[in-house]
Amino acid sequence: MSNEEFRAAMSRLAAGVVLVTAHDADHGPRGEDVGMTATAFMSVSLDPPLVLVSLRNGSRMDDLLAEQPLWGVSVLAESQRQIAGRFAMKGRLSDRLLFEDLAHERGEVCGAPLVAGALATLECRTRQRVEAGDHTLVIGHVLKVGLADQVAGPLTYFRGRYRHLA
């Protein structure tokens, strides 16, 4: 089996889209916010409340969460496609400009940016990191949840494109 065949098979699995965020307090005088779009995100346990995100080894988020245990997740609505695309760009030098005009609040517990208008937000503390091939599975204990007042459709990813439910 080739990498292309595996990628093609997995592209047929629809996934929700989230923005994972963290605050790097050690970067500069005011710190720096970091964000990444993820589709490999899921609930793991209800008691205790645990979630999992898969991070590419050596990515900025993987490196940061190896040092910083607190992070946030914004479950994106179908109207937030441009946010997902913005934080999925490869080769960007800094996330500072990406957050500059993005409506968000800072999480009370995690200190990370949480996207305004997201379907839900979660504030997490890393509980476990598991090496898995070229990725690290980060399991987080959910410390706080926020829910949107309005119910909107979720942003999904299927066959290499962002989609909305019809």
Side-chain angles (χ1 to χ4, degrees):
M1 172 192 63
S2 70
N3 286 349
E4 292 77 27
E5 289 173 315
F6 179 68
R7 198 173 283 123
M10 296 313 299
S11 77
R12 286 159 171 79
L13 176 64
V17 182
V18 302
L19 182 66
V20 179
T21 54
H23 183 73
D24 184 356
D26 296 332
H27 191 275
R30 294 183 305 182
E32 182 179 36
D33 294 322
V34 177
M36 72 159 246
T37 302
T39 56
F41 176 81
M42 62 183 286
S43 168
V44 173
S45 168
L46 186 58
D47 186 21
L50 301 176
V51 293
L52 175 148
V53 64
S54 180
L55 307 175
R56 184 178 41 80
N57 291 342
S59 67
R60 175 80 195 278
M61 189 62 73
D62 180 42
D63 291 345
L64 178 55
L65 293 190
E67 302 295 324
Q68 160 59 277
L70 297 172
W71 44 284
V73 176
S74 298
V75 179
L76 298 180
E78 61 189 357
S79 63
Q80 296 175 314
R81 179 184 298 202
Q82 79 272 10
I83 296 170
R86 171 189 294 201
F87 285 91
M89 291 186 303
K90 295 186 187 330
R92 62 185 192 266
L93 298 176
S94 170
D95 288 359
R96 184 179 56 80
L97 295 175
L98 300 179
F99 282 106
E100 200 167 83
D101 65 345
L102 179 65
H104 66 278
E105 297 177 357
R106 197 155 295 280
E108 292 176 24
V109 177
C110 69
L114 300 171
V115 177
L119 298 179
T121 59
L122 299 94
E123 296 187 62
C124 306
R125 176 182 295 278
T126 299
R127 183 153 184 181
Q128 186 177 0
R129 292 174 55 88
V130 179
E131 296 294 320
D134 60 1
H135 278 63
T136 299
L137 307 178
V138 179
I139 299 170
H141 185 173
V142 179
L143 305 172
K144 184 173 175 134
V145 169
L147 300 174
D149 292 333
Q150 301 181 106
V151 177
L155 181 60
T156 57
Y157 194 73
F158 178 70
R159 296 192 87 175
R161 294 181 38 207
Y162 296 113
R163 315 266 182 158
H164 61 84
L165 297 179

